[in-house]
Amino acid sequence: MTADPGTPTATYRLQLQPAFPFAAAERAVPYLASLGVSHLHLSPVLEAVPGSTHGYDVVDHSTVRADLGGAEGLRALARTARAHGLGLIVDIVPNHMAAPAPERLNAPLWEVLRDGPESAYARWFDIDWQAQGGKVLLPVLGGPLGEEWERLRIEDGVLRYYDHAFPLRPGTEGLPLAELLDAQWYRLGWWRLARTELNYRRFFTISELIAVRVEDPEIFDATHATLLELMRDGVVDGLRIDHPDGLADPEGYLRRLDRAVRAATGETRDGAGGGGRWTASEGGGGRWTVVEKILGRDERLPATWPVAGTTGYDALHHIDGLFVDPDGLAKLTALYRDFTAPPADLGGDWPATVRRAAREVVTHELAAEVARLTRIASRICAADPRLRDHAPWALRTAIRELLVRLPVYRPYACVGDPPATDADAVMLGSAAADAREAFTVEQEARVVRVVRDAALGRLGDGPDHRDFCARFAQTAAALRAKSVEDTAFYRYTPLLSAAEVGGDPGRPAVAPEEFHAFAARRSRDWPATGTVLSTHDTKRSVDARARLAALTECPGWWGRMVAEPARSAAAPDPQLAWTAWQTALALGHGEAARLVPAVLKGVREAGLRTTWTEQNAAYEEEVTAFLEAGPCAADPSVWAAIGAELDGPARANTLGAALLHLTMPGVPDLYMGTEHLYTALVDPDNRRPPALGGEPTDGPSAEKLLLTRAALNLRREHPGWFGPGSTYTPLLASGPSAEHCVAFLRTDGTDVTDSTDVTDSTDVTDGTHGGAVTVVTRLSRRLAEAGGWGATRLPLPPGRWRDLLSGRTAEGSAPLDELLSGLPVALLVRS
């Protein structure tokens, strides 16, 4: 097989870092090719801050990262991959660059700091020169300037502060320090000023990542030239776009990227339909591109984006949800509330917790972003006599109230043509109706309508109108990420596995019919979209979540276990005890070197007793002491008892999730190491260099590897059964335990009708063209408690079917107790 520049059959994510450079990835190629993937998926490869373990802190777009092996190392990896039939997918970071120490590492930023708004690079960065007296605020000082004064020094023509080195404005080199500081195009400030005074856009609330204006064609060209050269030379075959919601105009960016890639590679997009959607067709057509877009539960990816789909967090939510018992979750949540007794808006109720977190973030961490929006809105109103007399406080209030009420990451409205979509108009209209409640005077409440219309691009087409519309959406995305993923997820903790990127902790359970409907939509609308279960950003790996989901099948046992004085008496608070023991259960052991950092990160993100910026050292010492004396020191008998309760259902969940991931509609992306049993916590735990190529001989890890190899090689041998043009047909079991079976047929579309009705699985014809059937067990503990499969049967499509995992054969109406007697899953092909 040769690498296909079109749709991958499956990708394998490698998290590159100096401890795992291009050469290490090259050595792993033979093993990964034998596993059955079609493409390697690389984390960012352009020059980053030296030593970076992730690569998203880019400092130079013109160079392949030296400490990974440089351009030749990447090209050598590509040659080896291609010799083994593999292509390369590369992660790219269009939204931001690093603001590093020393600052000279980012040459464009260095020139802006030296030459100010007249610099040739001033347009690169999203800086508000009208604020801070025309200077760039650099919040790098450990304390107020007066306290740090003695640590500033001039050496070799630069201003130094610890690891930082700042350029000097020409002609200011000989000035006294006080005058020299005032003469620069930047202002050195206490790091705490970033919250309210920062005047450059950043990635979320990370001041060390400064936003880049890729909406400017010249900046796009400069920041993408090396990437396009790699695609032109056949080194890179496809793209993952990091955080498109941070861009001023995501669709405009994606269209420019699509044109640039096609021009660089000399390809056309054959058969592109669906309003411009990327479509693979036989013999050519574009390069596979997915976007890291996190969709809300009922949100749809804009159909006009020229991409194959998302990276797949929506699939993660739907797969995870199948293994959550809704009745058990309700009991688990009741136990959580009784045991931890949190206030409703601080972890007791999901919607209330999200609302409070959003208000805190928009008022504090994003105060500078809201202030900038307020300044722009004030200028818009001042320029139009019909919009005057809205006070800045009222505009600021309306902006905040609209932002905290958005149920998704952002709207995609733009000034001009095309107008805002009906979905965005309805969403912002609903938010505006509720936001009026923040005003007691009706005339003052009318400002909400002004802000709503500005966010929808309806007030005019001047520079300020375009700026407000784009910046409102960008701020909305940052607010959603920080308030939900990085705050509320750590406050509302009845079931930690539900608090996952793309998830819905308030409603995590997914019924089989909901899963089938979701899969059918993907097959129809986005057949080449990505699917993931573990990434470098997931809070817990898929197998860690599989263990936690099993708690919904035994909530009473968990409630008794965590409430025992030996488990919780020494905890600084009951919520910490609940969260700490679930985190340990996710790992399956109490390894202090991994457990302590993850739990400390969680309590800081939650911000209830300590935070990243206001650390409560005494509380954090109590947390560490509890972990070391509790889960990390638990007697082996405790872990044996835990294993007796959880290992069985966790095994079923692990294998079931893996098989669904590898056979449902979409392109599966395997995170490094997840072909085996892989339990990891939040970063940096999940970014440890992988040990690839091991061959476990027994247990769930060996079973998962067997399953993964079988499914991946089946996808590679029969891409028509799984890729664009294939079909997805639910198969419904019958009998007393039918609800515990999830099954479906994948074919190339030549032997089933066009029906996607999830209530009817009788559309299969004579089956002469092959196909694959996935069979998965859900809620296995409840199944066992009910007496097992009993007379439950699965009607198979016509033909004789062989399980690639066990070798068993079946036909007709197959008894599930026989089909699944050895493993809780089956992968059948016609024999």
Side-chain angles (χ1 to χ4, degrees):
M1 172 187 168
T2 59
D4 177 9
T7 306
T9 62
T11 63
Y12 192 98
R13 168 75 175 205
L14 293 173
Q15 198 68 22
L16 301 168
Q17 52 185 293
F20 191 84
F22 296 134
E26 188 177 357
R27 289 191 294 272
V29 164
Y31 163 71
L32 296 175
S34 72
L35 197 61
V37 299
S38 66
H39 290 70
L40 306 184
H41 170 196
L42 306 181
S43 58
V45 299
L46 298 183
E47 194 65 76
V49 172
S52 173
T53 59
H54 52 81
Y56 293 92
D57 44 2
V58 177
V59 295
D60 186 352
H61 293 90
S62 67
T63 306
V64 175
R65 192 172 168 186
D67 60 7
L68 296 182
E72 184 47 45
L74 176 59
R75 290 174 181 270
L77 170 59
R79 288 193 295 269
T80 300
R82 201 162 298 281
H84 286 78
L86 305 182
L88 298 186
I89 307 296
V90 167
D91 198 336
I92 66 172
V93 190
N95 180 67
H96 55 267
M97 295 181 72
E103 282 64 17
R104 191 186 293 275
L105 290 170
N106 186 333
L109 179 60
W110 177 270
E111 294 205 20
V112 173
L113 297 178
R114 184 189 64 202
D115 299 330
E118 299 306 315
S119 165
Y121 290 98
R123 292 164 52 201
W124 272 52
F125 304 106
D126 198 349
I127 299 168
D128 183 3
W129 292 101
Q130 298 184 46
Q132 293 296 322
K135 298 174 181 285
V136 181
L137 175 67
L138 298 178
V140 298
L141 302 180
L145 179 59
E147 297 178 8
E148 301 298 313
W149 188 267
E150 299 299 326
R151 297 176 177 86
L152 298 172
R153 63 193 188 279
I154 306 297
E155 292 180 0
D156 302 323
V158 300
L159 174 62
R160 297 189 181 276
Y161 175 76
Y162 291 107
D163 293 336
H164 294 275
F166 308 100
L168 298 180
R169 185 174 179 178
T172 66
E173 297 85 349
L175 295 175
L177 183 57
E179 294 180 30
L180 181 143
L181 290 176
D182 287 342
Q184 303 311 313
W185 287 109
Y186 51 86
R187 171 193 168 194
L188 301 186
W190 187 15
W191 63 268
R192 288 186 178 277
L193 296 180
R195 178 176 287 180
T196 57
E197 309 301 315
L198 199 70
N199 63 332
Y200 62 82
R201 187 169 62 83
R202 53 191 168 165
F203 174 70
F204 295 161
T205 58
I206 303 174
S207 301
E208 293 79 13
L209 296 175
I210 184 170
V212 178
R213 297 183 61 254
V214 289
E215 63 270 22
D216 185 307
E218 292 183 13
I219 299 169
F220 175 93
D221 292 342
T223 55
H224 288 70
T226 298
L227 169 76
L228 294 170
E229 178 186 353
L230 292 170
M231 300 196 82
R232 182 198 67 204
D233 293 349
V235 176
V236 173
D237 299 293
L239 303 172
R240 173 203 183 266
I241 312 300
D242 181 66
H243 187 46
D245 279 347
L247 303 177
D249 177 11
E251 181 169 342
Y253 166 80
L254 293 170
R255 290 195 174 281
R256 181 175 286 118
L257 177 66
D258 180 58
R259 291 192 297 270
V261 167
R262 286 188 284 119
T265 59
E267 294 177 351
T268 59
R269 191 193 311 149
D270 298 339
R277 180 181 305 149
W278 182 95
T279 305
S281 66
E282 191 170 343
R287 293 296 176 99
W288 188 75
T289 299
V290 290
V291 288
E292 188 208 18
K293 166 62 185 169
I294 299 168
L295 296 167
R297 189 175 187 121
D298 299 317
E299 186 182 10
R300 301 288 182 264
L301 187 69
T304 53
W305 285 13
V307 296
T310 73
T311 54
Y313 285 116
D314 50 343
L316 180 156
H317 164 67
H318 282 82
I319 293 173
D320 274 10
L322 278 174
F323 302 99
V324 173
D325 179 4
D327 294 333
L329 176 66
K331 295 174 182 175
L332 188 71
T333 303
L335 288 167
Y336 159 78
R337 289 172 177 152
D338 289 343
F339 182 75
T340 63
D345 60 352
L346 289 174
D349 174 76
W350 174 244
T353 298
V354 170
R355 284 194 297 271
R356 174 159 180 164
R359 289 195 178 281
E360 291 175 4
V361 172
V362 81
T363 304
H364 296 97
E365 285 90 338
L366 294 177
E369 285 76 6
V370 171
R372 187 167 179 180
L373 281 169
T374 303
R375 291 194 296 272
I376 302 169
S378 295
R379 293 198 298 269
I380 289 173
C381 290
D384 187 340
R386 297 167 297 177
L387 301 177
R388 289 176 188 166
D389 294 339
H390 292 300
W393 75 263
L395 289 165
R396 181 174 59 251
T397 300
I399 290 166
R400 286 177 178 169
E401 294 296 325
L402 275 174
L403 286 170
V404 300
R405 286 172 167 81
L406 294 184
V408 297
Y409 270 70
R410 60 168 282 172
Y412 294 102
C414 293
V415 170
D417 187 46
T421 64
D422 291 343
D424 280 344
V426 169
M427 177 178 68
L428 278 160
S430 177
D434 293 340
R436 296 174 67 90
E437 298 173 2
F439 295 86
T440 56
V441 177
E442 172 60 27
Q443 291 91 333
E444 291 176 339
R446 294 171 186 167
V447 70
V448 174
R449 183 173 57 197
V450 174
V451 173
R452 177 205 64 190
D453 288 348
L456 288 170
R458 293 174 172 174
L459 291 183
D461 60 359
D464 281 333
H465 300 89
R466 292 192 291 273
D467 194 22
F468 184 93
C469 187
R471 196 171 303 283
F472 180 91
Q474 291 168 314
T475 304
L479 173 60
R480 185 77 178 176
K482 295 305 297 180
S483 62
V484 177
E485 289 180 35
D486 293 345
T487 305
F489 274 7
Y490 291 97
R491 291 181 176 180
Y492 182 80
T493 58
L495 180 65
L496 292 184
S497 61
E500 193 50 84
V501 183
D504 181 357
R507 195 160 56 106
V510 173
E513 55 269 22
E514 183 181 353
F515 175 85
H516 286 313
F518 168 76
R521 283 197 307 273
R522 285 164 64 88
S523 179
R524 180 190 67 224
D525 298 336
W526 298 99
T529 189
T531 62
V532 293
L533 286 179
S534 295
T535 75
H536 62 289
D537 279 334
T538 44
K539 310 294 186 189
R540 296 156 197 91
S541 68
V542 59
D543 297 335
R545 300 196 308 274
R547 293 181 60 80
L548 291 170
L551 293 179
T552 65
E553 299 184 70
C554 52
W557 168 82
W558 163 254
R560 292 188 299 273
M561 197 282 291
V562 76
E564 288 182 15
R567 308 279 184 269
S568 60
D573 57 79
Q575 190 154 12
L576 188 278
W578 182 281
T579 301
W581 273 102
Q582 276 205 23
T583 305
L585 290 182
L587 277 182
H589 52 77
E591 184 181 339
R594 298 173 63 191
L595 188 63
V596 172
V599 174
L600 283 177
K601 179 171 184 172
V603 296
R604 290 171 183 163
E605 296 280 25
L608 298 176
R609 300 279 297 276
T610 185
T611 72
W612 291 105
T613 56
E614 286 84 32
Q615 290 185 16
N616 181 337
Y619 177 74
E620 293 190 6
E621 288 172 5
E622 290 182 64
V623 171
T624 301
F626 168 70
L627 291 167
E628 291 177 343
C632 298
D635 188 270
S637 63
V638 172
W639 289 108
I642 290 171
E645 293 288 339
L646 295 185
D647 286 354
R651 169 182 175 253
N653 293 352
T654 288
L655 297 177
L659 187 56
L660 291 171
H661 177 217
L662 296 173
T663 57
M664 71 181 291
V667 176
D669 182 48
L670 280 78
Y671 192 63
M672 55 188 191
T674 57
E675 68 272 23
H676 302 127
L677 196 64
Y678 177 80
T679 53
L681 304 177
V682 71
D683 67 275
D685 188 62
N686 61 10
R687 298 180 186 179
R688 292 169 294 145
L692 300 178
E695 295 286 339
T697 57
D698 56 20
S701 196
E703 292 170 342
K704 190 178 182 188
L705 180 59
L706 169 70
L707 179 159
T708 301
R709 276 202 171 121
L712 289 176
N713 280 285
L714 185 65
R715 293 185 68 98
R716 186 164 61 181
E717 293 164 7
H718 299 283
W721 295 358
F722 300 97
S726 65
T727 63
Y728 174 92
T729 307
L731 302 176
L732 305 183
S734 61
S737 297
E739 65 178 345
H740 293 278
C741 175
V742 175
F744 51 81
L745 169 69
R746 303 302 312 279
T747 75
D748 63 7
T750 63
D751 62 343
V752 292
T753 71
D754 195 32
S755 172
T756 54
D757 182 358
V758 301
T759 65
D760 182 5
S761 61
T762 63
D763 296 324
V764 183
T765 60
D766 65 6
T768 57
H769 292 88
V773 169
T774 289
V775 187
V776 165
T777 304
R778 62 185 293 266
L779 309 183
S780 62
R781 180 181 176 129
R782 291 291 169 86
L783 172 66
E785 291 171 348
W789 291 112
T792 309
R793 307 175 78 89
L794 180 67
L796 294 173
R800 188 171 181 82
W801 295 84
R802 179 173 61 88
D803 183 7
L804 295 180
L805 309 181
S806 69
R808 289 188 180 88
T809 59
E811 58 186 318
S813 183
L816 285 173
D817 59 349
E818 295 180 11
L819 185 63
L820 303 178
S821 61
L823 291 172
V825 298
L827 177 58
L828 309 173
V829 294
R830 285 192 177 96
S831 62

